[in-house]
Amino acid sequence: LRRPGEVFGLLTVRVDGRKLLVGDLSASGIGVAGVIPRDPGDDVEVEIEGHALVLGTIAWRRQNSFGISLPPLSLDLYPRGND
């Protein structure tokens, strides 16, 4: 399940303490707008409001964006039924 950033409005994450805008979100990773001094393969700390701090890995990097691979079950993006 992949959800583009516009679904969330201005969703932000903190990556290594820097607040950045989410461009794409899925259960397996996050596409982030911004630049950090890290390379693919580097580990980063990811903080999303309402979720525990997660250790992710830079999967790819472009000029002004990068992707973070997350461990399985890091984010619960599936709708829940009425309990």
Side-chain angles (χ1 to χ4, degrees), residues 2-79:
R2 182 172 297 281
R3 299 189 189 234
E6 63 267 12
V7 171
F8 302 101
L10 295 177
L11 179 64
T12 58
V13 294
R14 288 196 181 276
V15 178
D16 284 352
R18 295 175 187 219
K19 190 173 183 179
L20 300 166
L21 185 64
V22 172
D24 188 287
L25 180 65
S26 73
S28 62
I30 303 172
V32 182
V35 178
I36 62 170
R38 298 300 192 105
D39 293 312
D42 289 348
D43 290 334
V44 291
E45 291 183 342
V46 179
E47 181 182 355
I48 300 174
E49 188 174 334
H51 295 273
L53 186 69
V54 176
L55 186 63
T57 303
I58 301 293
W60 54 267
R61 188 174 77 176
R62 296 189 184 113
Q63 189 172 8
N64 294 313
S65 62
F66 60 97
I68 302 171
S69 176
L70 299 174
L73 305 175
S74 296
L75 300 176
D76 181 7
L77 298 180
Y78 299 96

